[in-house]
Amino acid sequence: MSEITAPTESRLAHFPVAFFAIVMGLSGVTLAYRASEHALGVDNGASQVVLIVTICVFLVISAFYAAKAFTWTERVRSEWDNPLQIAFFPAISISVLLIATAMAPIWPETARPIWFVGMLAQGLLSLVVIANWIGHRTFQQMHLTPAWFIPAVGNIIVPVAGVGFGYPDISWLFFSAGLMFWIVLLTLVFNRLVFHDPLPGRLVPTLVILVAPPAVGFVSYLQLGGDLDPFALILLNVGYVFAGIVITQIPKFLTLSFALSWWALSFPIAALSIASLVYAERTGSQAHQTIGLVLVGILTVLVAGLAVRTIKAIGGNEICKPE
């Protein structure tokens, strides 16, 4: 019996917290589909189907990670102590926030307490992760990656549903914190990318995370009551600028083997598509609507491919093993 269960135990011990990036990606698809349905004036239920799939995936991943935390507590502690992996822990609270945001238009009374739990968890995880960054350990430049944006992005997400739930002050608090740390981390990350060793191959896809903060920030700013003023336009167009920078790295992406970090591509593309469609709705810009819908199409193909490749990797024992 021990010989039979050992491989399962071993794979569970190496079940990474980065799996929650899948939930972020699927949540982004849900919200992008809803934005495109609204833009086209259709309601084909695709967004609701993806939302249900997202919730199921979140519950499955949460169950596995909870089992790991209970059975292999030292492995979770090891992830937390790893400067490359600690930034992925807020992906858990971000997943909760995104699911609540996606649920809000159809199940508002259920979404509200879920959002509140996600907001509290996001605030706590952000503080603890940042305290860890400036704490007793010495970090090296090689430890700094675009994944460090994840806690900042999570804070900026809070207002998207928070304002509608009646929490404008809390939403401004999280938006302010996210914006501040985005600017600080952007400087640090660019210093690392330009003046130090290149990112390891499996972390190169995290470059796409650069797109998410300004794109989400644009949507959140408008939710907070902002107009299409210069600040809002800067946020949206910075998202496009970073998307352009990422496009220049596509030849490098094509040489890389699959890893869970590839899911980092999904949510930023979803965020930029939503931002484009929101701008198109506010201004009537056909060009921005086209950009948004094209990005939704790219997102659909990308996530479908990632889902197939992830299932294949799980079946082939390519992931959930020692790094």
Side-chain angles (χ1 to χ4, degrees):
M1 180 63 70
S2 62
E3 292 180 356
I4 295 175
T5 58
T8 302
E9 291 175 344
S10 177
R11 294 189 71 177
L12 179 63
H14 299 286
F15 189 89
V17 70
F19 255 109
F20 284 96
I22 297 176
V23 184
M24 290 180 59
L26 293 176
S27 299
V29 173
T30 302
L31 295 169
Y33 276 15
R34 183 167 298 151
S36 60
E37 289 168 357
H38 183 72
L40 296 174
V42 299
D43 184 13
N44 57 15
S47 60
Q48 191 164 338
V49 171
V50 179
L51 172 59
I52 293 172
V53 171
T54 302
I55 294 171
C56 293
V57 171
F58 173 74
L59 293 175
V60 170
I61 292 175
S62 297
F64 274 108
Y65 202 76
K68 173 184 175 178
F70 180 78
T71 309
W72 298 90
T73 307
E74 72 281 1
R75 299 287 187 179
V76 176
R77 188 177 297 113
S78 176
E79 279 188 291
W80 180 264
D81 291 335
N82 188 315
L84 296 177
Q85 295 174 333
I86 187 174
F88 285 97
F89 278 88
I92 302 173
S93 53
I94 293 173
S95 297
V96 176
L97 286 169
L98 289 171
I99 289 173
T101 301
M103 292 173 62
I106 49 179
W107 304 308
E109 295 307 314
T110 302
R112 182 188 298 269
I114 294 175
W115 175 89
F116 200 82
V117 170
M119 178 271 295
L120 292 176
Q122 176 61 32
L124 178 61
L125 280 172
S126 294
L127 289 174
V128 175
V129 168
I130 293 169
N132 190 284
W133 285 345
I134 62 177
H136 62 278
R137 291 184 299 154
T138 301
F139 289 99
Q140 305 297 324
Q141 282 291 338
M142 65 180 180
H143 296 147
L144 183 63
T145 74
W148 281 37
F149 282 111
I150 293 176
V153 172
N155 290 323
I156 296 175
I157 287 170
V158 169
V160 178
V163 175
F165 285 142
Y167 298 100
D169 291 336
I170 292 176
S171 296
W172 271 111
L173 172 66
F174 277 86
F175 180 81
S176 302
L179 190 66
M180 177 187 67
F181 281 107
W182 169 52
I183 295 171
V184 171
L185 289 170
L186 181 61
T187 304
L188 294 174
V189 168
F190 255 84
N191 177 274
R192 184 256 191 270
L193 294 175
V194 174
F195 295 108
H196 299 273
D197 293 337
L199 291 172
R202 64 188 178 86
L203 292 178
V204 169
T206 63
L207 283 171
V208 188
I209 297 176
L210 292 169
V211 176
V216 178
F218 171 77
V219 177
S220 291
Y221 180 67
L222 295 184
Q223 284 293 102
L224 287 163
D227 296 321
L228 285 175
D229 53 25
F231 179 67
L233 296 177
I234 287 172
L235 288 174
L236 176 62
N237 286 285
V238 167
Y240 290 140
V241 170
F242 283 134
I245 293 173
V246 169
I247 289 173
T248 67
Q249 301 301 306
I250 288 179
K252 184 181 295 185
F253 289 172
L254 297 177
T255 66
L256 303 174
S257 57
F258 176 78
L260 279 179
S261 57
W262 276 93
W263 279 95
L265 278 67
S266 54
F267 179 72
I269 294 176
L272 192 59
S273 69
I274 295 167
S276 300
L277 293 171
V278 168
Y279 181 85
E281 180 184 359
R282 292 286 188 101
T283 63
S285 171
Q286 188 61 46
H288 284 83
Q289 184 180 83
T290 300
I291 291 172
L293 293 176
V294 168
L295 288 173
V296 171
I298 294 172
L299 177 67
T300 300
V301 174
L302 174 67
V303 169
L306 288 174
V308 170
R309 190 62 186 85
T310 301
I311 293 171
K312 181 180 177 181
I314 292 172
N317 197 22
E318 298 176 29
I319 53 180
C320 298
K321 59 183 183 179
E323 296 185 0

